[in-house]
Amino acid sequence: MTTYPILSVTTFLPLVGAAAIFFLNERLARWIALATTLATLALSVPLYLQFDKASSALQFVEVARWIPSWNVSYGMGVDGISLPFVFLSVLMSVLCVAVSWTAVQTRVRDFYAALLVSETAMVGLFAATNFFLFYLFWELMIVPLFLLIGVWGGPGRTYAAVKFLMFTLAGSVLMLVGLIALLYLGNTLDFQELAGATRLNPTAQAWLFVAFLAAFAVKVPMFPVHTWLPDAHTEAPTAGSVILAGILLKMGAYGFLRISLPILPDAVQLFLTPMLVLSATAIVYGAYVTLAQTDVKRLIAYSSISHMGFVTLGIFTLNRNGVEGAILQMVNHGIVTGALFLCIGMIYERTHTREIADYGGLAKVAPIYSTFLALFCLAAAGFPGLNSFVGEFLIISGGFKARAWLGVMGVWGVALGTTYILWLYYRVVLGEVRPKLRELRLDLNLREVATLVPLALLVLVIGVYPEIVLSFLRASVTQLLGAVSGAGTVGRL
Amino acid sequence: MTDLLLLLPEIVLVVMALSLIVVARRVERAQSAAIFTVIAAAAAIFAGWAFSGAGPATGFGATISGDGYAQFFNVLFAANLALAALLSVKHLDAEHVRPAEFYALLLLSSTGMMLAAAATDLLVVYLGLELMTLCSYIMVGITRDRSISNEAAIKYFLLASFASALLLYGISLAYGVTGATDFQAIASAASSRGLAGHPLLLVAVALVAVGLAFKIAAVPFHAWAPDAYQGASAPVAAFLAAGSKAAGLAALGRVGLIAFAPEQRVWAGILVGLAALSIAGGSLLALSQSNMKRLLAYSSIAHAGYALLGLVSGTPDGISATMTYSFVYAFMTLGAFGVVIGLGERGEDLAGFRGLAATAPGTAALMLLFLLSLTGIPPTAGFAAKFGVILNAVRSGHLVLAVLAVVCSVVSAFFYLRVAVYMYMTEPQGVAPGRLPAEVSAALAVAAFLTIMGGMFPETFTAWTVPPS
């Protein structure tokens, strides 16, 4: 194995970079940020190469004494479920730096420092092996994003930032109570020890589930606590939207997988039906609301609610197809929605409008841009051969296995999804060129193409060969399902 | 004679205070007196550390203890003294206050706090707290030409005297029932002679709790704090917020764990009520404040409630959590006040923080750190401390109280982070603030360092939090 504590280095290198940016010259900020994120990406490579896919155990484990009086240690490690998100986090961070290169002109230093702090929080969250550390990174994530939205965002940024902050804080403090109660009841916060220990009694589990649900549901976001998302996504600067859509939304779903399912299996069974109903509602309701949007960013934001509905649906089918599909869909959604926000950000930098009505005929003036957008739009619509298709297919088949109406809702959502995304593409790219757009240099430059290419490759590769992600998941998902199914009634529900 | 070793830190401070008074007429500039005071604080910490264990366990007829508990609070009070001394410099020069007198009062007030934490006798607790409070009245009103300052001093004086009277009355009742003012004697009298549950003793318990609740500004005995903090100069407000609260908590901890241990149920019941009211009241009342000193005053009320969460269990672990909390709170509140002081006149009003991140990014980042810590967001010391006390509340079965505490910390996020919104998300107004004075920077650096350290490595503080024996 490797000789350096690879997860800790990957997690904390961005923090070092942030400190360097804060104390060094403003002009160097971009370059330091780029160097830091690239170095982090490079240093994380051994994780993917040396990962043992056959094992469901935590790998690259690091443990150190930290707070013995609360029985909390510093623990890092990844399994098949967390590894894809570590990769997504470090990759997205590089792209966020790249896309902000010219877009952010004010208080550049603070911007990149905040971005790097958020990278630390993202990677750390997915690498944490105990709840205390998880919570620490969970909360650490809020502050830089609050600043990213509120300082560099659009016209309604302050409102959006405060709304984001209050929603997420309100959710996470209940998680804090749950965490403390869990520590009190189980006298440990280590995920594995908690999952392996004797089950808590069902009542305690139910209360804890509700406490954690408050935090996770806000982050996902699940219907009906999704209302912060359209504001935050729309007003955030491009990099902020990418991090929100690409990573932050996954944290909630990851919380379900890492905490609710293995540690509170009886409560999961108890709340199964409400969770599935909420997920299905999010899929269909989110899709209809998306159809009505006139602002490009808002449209993509609402589509996230629908797409994340698929994820929670997949998780709570509690069968292999559903859960594997959900995790794959989380990765895919991060890639595709991240890419769409990048695309929107690039064009917004030139036109300064987000209204769909102001666009039209981009294909004629910006062919390269339109090609990329076509690829990502098709991916978002779940076009076969592209990445999202596989995830949605797995989730829907898992849904049919669990309860037939879930599958039907899923198909309904996909149909609506195809409609809104292709209609968006039609209005923005096809048709007559708007006169105002003619005077602008709209097509992408080399830096922007380089930003989009990695995501385009991922879309194609995962679409053609989903095993590249699924093979990482398999062993861990088997173990997870084993843990959940140990509780009471299982199988067809 | 070896008894004196127990009081070495106090003696150092008193000697320094008296010498300052002697040379008062010659001290023109605040800076020299401040350096003198910082040296005194350092000497007190050193004296306490170097001679720890050298003296007897208790002295002066078992009224003073030299245990780890007292030593911990000695360090806290000395550090508080040093930081407050640094933060006062600019203000004293601007207001033309005679520096020597002010610093002498600061030293004597800290002496009182140390006495209160070391005392194992109700009368000595009373003496210590009175010494602290009497000096505080004068410091609050030391800018004689300002009417708001005079008003604050009078209000503070009237309410606090009333509280002292209640405390004294409680002490006398306890003496009447048990025949002792010594903690151990009260406890053993209550348990061995079957006096536990004696109605008069319960009244005494309640009165002592109320008297001490005034000192820590717990709701409903908080009314003096916002006015006193707003009327006082910011450094004095910071000194009181951090020090007076810690002194009150130190006394509450020792009295509750030892003297009133047989009355634990009543005592805990009172503390639960005080904690719940303070957390909810402080957080809600702070929402509408636009004066920074007033905002921090209400915040200090809420934090008194959080600190009390550690004491409701009456266990040594809980007291450790409260000790950590008061230590951490002292530094984060001194930090927040420090930024207010560093910004001068504009720092006293919320609007003065407009666009601060654009004009003074370093200062804004520091303020953000202290605000996050006050809110209890990791990875700051405020979070670790809050975690400790809430864990203690859950362990002692006060789950509802724990939920109330975290819900109120969301409420508090709203007003703390409103300052952050002003700093980061509004346009700057007027001239950019100048550089922070060197003394203020030094104080802020210490506070920021401890706020980060305490968050990253919570164990660093807890190792020193020895419950009273």
Side-chain angles (χ1 to χ4, degrees):
Chain A
M1 293 294 239
T2 42
T3 50
Y4 57 96
I6 179 166
L7 281 170
S8 293
V9 170
T10 311
T11 305
F12 291 107
L13 188 65
L15 204 59
V16 176
I21 284 176
F22 205 81
F23 289 110
L24 290 177
N25 192 319
E26 177 125 26
R27 278 184 311 174
L28 288 172
R30 292 189 180 93
W31 292 103
I32 298 175
L34 186 66
T36 311
T37 48
L38 281 174
T40 312
L41 180 63
L43 284 169
S44 74
V45 165
L47 287 176
Y48 325 119
L49 299 180
Q50 296 172 4
F51 188 83
D52 176 12
K53 294 178 185 177
S55 161
S56 66
L58 288 171
Q59 303 183 29
F60 307 99
V61 175
E62 300 161 23
V63 182
R65 230 176 94 88
W66 192 24
I67 317 172
S69 50
W70 298 335
N71 201 14
V72 168
S73 54
Y74 170 83
M76 297 287 239
V78 284
D79 65 359
I81 296 176
S82 46
L83 189 64
F85 299 106
V86 172
F87 170 69
L88 206 59
S89 306
V90 292
L91 177 71
M92 285 300 179
S93 301
V94 179
L95 304 183
C96 284
V97 172
V99 79
S100 312
W101 205 262
T102 55
V104 173
Q105 296 290 359
T106 54
R107 293 163 59 191
V108 180
R109 199 160 53 173
D110 296 358
F111 178 84
Y112 285 104
L115 205 58
L116 289 176
V117 172
S118 75
E119 184 179 3
T120 289
M122 295 187 286
V123 179
L125 181 112
F126 292 118
T129 60
N130 69 59
F131 206 158
F132 191 82
L133 207 54
F134 177 92
Y135 182 80
L136 220 68
F137 288 120
W138 179 281
E139 293 278 276
L140 181 62
M141 187 74 192
I142 298 177
V143 181
L145 271 174
F146 171 63
L147 294 180
L148 283 179
I149 299 170
V151 179
W152 295 275
R157 56 182 181 268
T158 309
Y159 171 76
V162 172
K163 194 170 178 182
F164 163 77
L165 184 87
M166 296 319 288
F167 264 84
T168 40
L169 264 188
S172 60
V173 293
L174 289 176
M175 177 159 81
L176 178 62
V177 180
L179 178 144
I180 290 174
L182 203 56
L183 175 62
Y184 169 65
L185 294 169
N187 199 31
T188 176
L189 286 176
D190 186 278
F191 287 142
Q192 282 191 311
E193 286 175 25
L194 282 171
T198 39
R199 291 251 161 80
L200 302 169
N201 74 60
T203 325
Q205 281 194 31
W207 281 107
L208 288 171
F209 185 89
V210 172
F212 299 150
L213 177 66
F216 300 154
V218 167
K219 277 267 160 83
V220 168
M222 293 177 73
F223 180 85
V225 284
H226 62 276
T227 57
W228 64 270
L229 178 135
D231 290 312
H233 278 53
T234 311
E235 297 300 336
T238 304
S241 307
V242 172
I243 290 180
L244 280 169
I247 313 294
L248 185 116
L249 301 194
K250 313 302 173 292
M251 291 180 169
Y254 179 75
F256 283 126
L257 291 167
R258 180 63 66 208
I259 295 159
S260 302
L261 260 55
I263 300 173
L264 310 168
D266 295 309
V268 169
Q269 302 287 354
L270 182 67
F271 286 97
L272 204 54
T273 310
M275 297 305 289
L276 288 171
V277 170
L278 285 180
S279 305
T281 314
I283 293 176
V284 177
Y285 168 81
Y288 273 113
V289 177
T290 312
L291 275 172
Q293 298 308 312
T294 58
D295 174 318
V296 195
K297 259 188 138 173
R298 233 180 157 78
L299 189 145
I300 304 299
Y302 270 109
S303 82
S304 290
I305 297 171
S306 180
H307 282 140
M308 291 308 289
F310 276 103
V311 171
T312 48
L313 183 100
I315 291 172
F316 286 98
T317 58
L318 300 184
N319 59 44
R320 170 172 296 282
N321 280 356
V323 174
E324 282 188 0
I327 300 170
L328 186 61
Q329 171 78 354
M330 281 156 76
V331 176
N332 288 338
H333 178 260
I335 295 168
V336 172
T337 310
L340 285 173
F341 274 123
L342 289 175
C343 287
I344 296 168
M346 288 168 184
I347 202 78
Y348 177 78
E349 211 182 322
R350 295 166 166 81
T351 61
H352 298 285
T353 174
R354 296 188 310 240
E355 283 298 315
I356 298 175
D358 292 340
Y359 289 98
L362 279 186
K364 295 189 182 108
V365 285
I368 306 174
Y369 179 83
S370 304
T371 314
F372 274 112
L373 194 62
L375 178 72
F376 295 128
C377 280
L378 285 175
F383 192 74
L386 301 179
N387 61 350
S388 293
F389 172 73
V390 192
E392 286 176 2
F393 181 83
L394 283 171
I395 293 171
I396 290 171
S397 72
F400 273 117
K401 266 189 207 166
R403 295 175 192 190
W405 62 269
L406 287 177
V408 175
M409 296 291 268
V411 174
W412 188 4
V414 171
L416 290 171
T418 315
T419 317
Y420 63 67
I421 206 79
L422 293 184
W423 190 31
L424 169 75
Y425 189 77
Y426 171 78
R427 285 180 288 175
V428 170
V429 176
L430 305 178
E432 282 307 305
V433 186
R434 292 260 152 186
K436 270 191 196 159
L437 298 179
R438 264 185 213 288
E439 298 127 39
L440 300 164
R441 284 171 55 93
L442 285 179
D443 221 352
L444 302 180
N445 60 31
L446 199 59
R447 171 180 59 83
E448 290 165 328
V449 172
T451 311
L452 292 176
V453 162
L455 295 177
L457 286 178
L458 283 173
V459 165
L460 293 168
V461 170
I462 298 178
V464 175
Y465 187 64
E467 265 308 288
I468 201 167
V469 179
L470 290 174
S471 61
F472 281 99
L473 310 179
R474 200 140 288 144
S476 298
V477 170
T478 308
Q479 195 211 20
L480 176 66
L481 290 174
V484 193
S485 59
T489 51
V490 236
R492 290 186 60 86
L493 291 151
Chain B
M1 224 13 221
T2 52
D3 283 5
L4 284 176
L5 285 176
L6 293 177
L7 286 182
L8 215 47
E10 287 90 337
I11 292 170
V12 169
L13 294 191
V14 170
V15 168
M16 295 288 197
L18 295 179
S19 14
L20 260 181
I21 293 175
V22 169
V23 297
R25 292 176 62 91
R26 293 181 176 269
V27 182
E28 296 290 328
R29 292 186 53 235
Q31 202 167 21
S32 41
I35 292 171
F36 191 77
T37 310
V38 172
I39 294 172
I45 292 178
F46 177 77
W49 169 76
F51 292 93
S52 67
T58 57
F60 301 100
T63 56
I64 297 285
S65 167
D67 57 0
Y69 188 71
Q71 284 169 18
F72 176 86
F73 279 104
N74 282 350
V75 173
L76 200 172
F77 296 135
N80 180 36
L81 168 67
L83 292 192
L86 289 173
L87 292 176
S88 317
V89 173
K90 196 177 120 188
H91 185 79
L92 293 178
D93 284 341
E95 295 280 344
H96 305 291
V97 175
R98 298 197 71 87
E101 290 166 9
F102 178 83
Y103 283 109
L105 288 169
L106 212 56
L107 285 159
L108 287 175
S109 186
S110 302
T111 312
M113 295 173 186
M114 289 182 175
L115 264 183
T120 57
D121 185 289
L122 283 175
L123 276 178
V124 181
V125 169
Y126 179 78
L127 285 178
L129 291 176
E130 278 312 282
L131 177 56
M132 168 188 93
T133 326
L134 279 171
C135 298
S136 310
Y137 303 144
I138 310 175
M139 286 193 289
V140 168
I142 203 156
T143 43
R144 275 168 299 187
D145 315 334
R146 288 199 186 202
S147 58
I148 185 170
S149 176
N150 291 330
E151 184 194 331
I154 301 259
K155 270 187 187 163
Y156 183 25
F157 173 73
L158 288 176
L159 285 170
S161 317
F162 184 63
S164 299
L166 290 179
L167 177 61
L168 200 56
Y169 192 40
I171 294 172
S172 71
L173 282 178
Y175 180 74
V177 176
T178 62
T181 53
D182 174 59
F183 290 175
Q184 297 285 0
I186 291 175
S188 60
S191 51
S192 66
R193 301 217 310 263
L195 291 172
H198 191 290
L200 276 182
L201 189 56
L202 295 184
V203 175
V205 167
L207 285 174
V208 170
V210 167
L212 294 176
F214 260 102
K215 304 289 175 201
I216 65 168
V219 179
F221 310 107
H222 65 288
W224 61 273
D227 289 332
Y229 287 19
Q230 190 183 6
S233 66
V236 173
F239 176 77
L240 287 182
S244 165
K245 191 166 315 286
L249 286 167
L252 274 170
R254 210 191 271 273
V255 171
L257 191 75
I258 300 171
F260 294 144
E263 314 292 345
Q264 170 59 24
R265 276 198 33 225
V266 179
W267 180 257
I270 296 172
L271 293 192
V272 167
L274 288 174
L277 288 173
S278 307
I279 292 172
S283 305
L284 292 174
L285 289 170
L287 282 175
S288 58
Q289 306 304 325
S290 62
N291 178 295
M292 284 304 288
K293 286 192 286 189
R294 240 184 140 73
L295 180 96
L296 288 170
Y298 282 110
S299 133
S300 96
I301 293 167
H303 281 283
Y306 286 106
L308 283 175
L309 290 180
L311 299 180
V312 296
S313 63
T315 58
D317 275 355
I319 291 193
S320 291
T322 293
M323 291 166 82
T324 312
Y325 202 92
S326 42
F327 192 80
V328 165
Y329 172 71
F331 289 101
M332 60 198 189
T333 202
L334 280 167
F337 269 113
V339 174
V340 170
I341 293 161
L343 291 176
E345 198 76 3
R346 65 182 279 172
E348 309 225 332
D349 195 64
L350 186 59
F353 283 81
R354 276 184 179 280
L356 192 66
T359 50
T363 313
L366 278 174
M367 188 65 179
L368 183 65
L369 172 74
F370 297 126
L371 291 170
L372 291 176
S373 188
L374 286 167
T375 319
I377 292 178
T380 57
F383 165 71
K386 206 173 255 184
F387 189 91
V389 289
I390 293 177
L391 178 63
N392 180 66
V394 171
R395 276 189 179 148
S396 57
H398 295 101
L399 198 61
V400 178
L401 197 55
V403 173
L404 177 79
V406 296
V407 169
C408 286
S409 64
V410 179
V411 176
S412 74
F414 196 78
F415 60 81
Y416 289 127
L417 296 176
R418 197 165 56 157
V419 183
V421 169
Y422 270 75
M423 291 194 300
Y424 281 89
M425 299 171 199
T426 54
E427 293 305 313
Q429 276 182 345
V431 286
R435 285 181 66 84
L436 294 177
E439 312 88 23
V440 174
S441 306
L444 288 180
V446 173
F449 174 75
L450 288 168
T451 303
I452 294 173
M453 273 295 289
M456 303 270 203
F457 306 102
E459 205 77 355
T460 38
F461 296 156
T462 36
W464 303 98
T465 51
V466 189
S469 48

